[in-house]
Amino acid sequence: MVDFASPLLPARLLRRYKRFLADVVIEASGEETTVHCPNPGAMMGLKEPGSRVWLSRSANRARKLPLTLELVEADGTLVGINTGLPNRLAEDAIGAGLVSALTDIGTLRREVKYGINSRIDLTGTQTDGRTVYIEVKNVHLMRKASLAEFPDCVTARGAKHLRELADQVEAGHRSVMLYVVQRTDCDRIALAEDLDPAYATAFAAARRRGVEAYGVRCDITVNGIDPHVEIPVLDPPQSR
């Protein structure tokens, strides 16, 4: 579980811009301020002006923007938008045995170099000696009830990771895509083929080459984010 170090500060979103910035109004004081937005994606459905949001405050007094946008209220639930958290959440989920296919892995290592100028999010070794490469993706888009989707914008880097994972399978290792859903109202994950056809094509090719895909949904409160349950990842028709 990722616990927020101090109580989050409620606010209202004015606008999100330049990828990493957002303007908000603090609810308690009415003060308007700029905060760090730790999400480079499109944040589709999560950046509507007037949305209620929650902010963390950094203990680092030297930070130019001491407040960070952590949660957005959307569709009647809390959604985690911090893309710096999924690797920790994935590690917790695997350690807790939530991912049924990944219970036979020893100590996980982070950010190990592999492929072409890439780093894998997590890697571990099975008891049979095989290396398992695990690429983690944050998921927070929902356009249809109960269906989480990835990605929410074009991700050429994500397609590159899929190809490199498939190369590791052909080298005799296991490769896994692990999608971490930072919202509580979804029970399955699909690819947003209309938003990034190239990623969907790369995913289908990787699946045919032996890359595995799993999902974990989190429970979210203003106190913290907790990996809760495994949910299925739906293959696009072209990979079946």
Side-chain angles (χ1 to χ4, degrees):
M1 180 173 181
V2 173
D3 293 311
F4 297 118
S6 58
L8 297 185
L9 191 64
R12 292 285 175 176
L13 182 65
L14 294 176
R15 64 179 182 135
R16 182 267 185 136
Y17 57 104
K18 293 184 179 178
R19 298 178 73 195
F20 297 109
L21 297 176
D23 290 340
V24 303
V25 175
I26 306 301
E27 285 192 355
S29 64
E31 173 193 2
E32 182 177 330
T33 188
T34 300
V35 303
H36 174 58
C37 178
N39 189 315
M43 285 179 58
M44 183 181 295
L46 301 174
K47 56 186 180 183
E48 297 303 314
S51 297
R52 199 172 193 215
V53 298
W54 279 261
L55 317 169
S56 63
R57 184 180 295 277
S58 173
N60 181 1
R61 295 181 178 274
R63 264 187 55 168
K64 182 178 180 180
L65 299 175
L67 297 175
T68 296
L69 179 59
E70 299 284 356
L71 306 176
V72 176
E73 186 177 283
D75 306 304
T77 192
L78 293 177
V79 182
I81 61 92
N82 190 335
T83 58
L85 300 182
N87 285 5
R88 291 166 56 189
L89 294 167
E91 193 169 5
D92 287 349
I94 294 168
L98 291 181
V99 186
S100 57
L102 299 178
T103 57
D104 185 28
I105 301 178
T107 302
L108 291 168
R109 299 169 61 201
R110 299 183 185 182
E111 299 292 328
V112 175
K113 290 183 179 180
Y114 88 120
I116 302 173
N117 297 321
S118 294
R119 291 179 181 270
I120 194 71
D121 291 320
L122 299 170
T123 185
T125 304
Q126 297 183 157
T127 53
D128 64 4
R130 276 203 300 169
T131 300
V132 183
Y133 292 88
I134 305 168
E135 181 69 25
V136 180
K137 295 299 182 187
N138 181 67
V139 183
H140 49 50
L141 173 63
M142 187 191 77
R143 295 182 292 178
K144 297 179 182 179
S146 302
L147 180 66
E149 293 183 273
F150 182 89
D152 71 347
C153 60
V154 172
T155 172
R157 186 167 174 262
K160 173 177 178 282
H161 289 157
L162 286 165
R163 292 189 291 269
E164 291 178 334
L165 287 173
D167 290 342
Q168 296 304 316
V169 174
E170 294 179 356
H173 308 298
R174 282 183 71 193
S175 291
V176 171
M177 280 298 316
L178 183 57
Y179 296 93
V180 176
V181 180
Q182 285 201 73
R183 56 187 304 151
T184 63
D185 54 357
C186 297
D187 57 21
R188 62 203 191 284
I189 304 167
L191 297 187
E193 297 180 66
D194 59 320
L195 300 181
D196 191 350
Y199 183 86
T201 297
F203 180 90
R207 292 287 282 144
R208 289 193 296 268
R209 294 172 67 190
V211 175
E212 304 163 47
Y214 308 105
V216 171
R217 188 189 72 216
C218 297
D219 278 348
I220 302 176
T221 72
V222 295
N223 297 313
I225 302 176
D226 188 20
H228 178 64
V229 66
E230 182 176 1
I231 61 175
V233 179
L234 307 180
D235 282 325
Q238 58 186 306
S239 66
R240 295 170 191 160

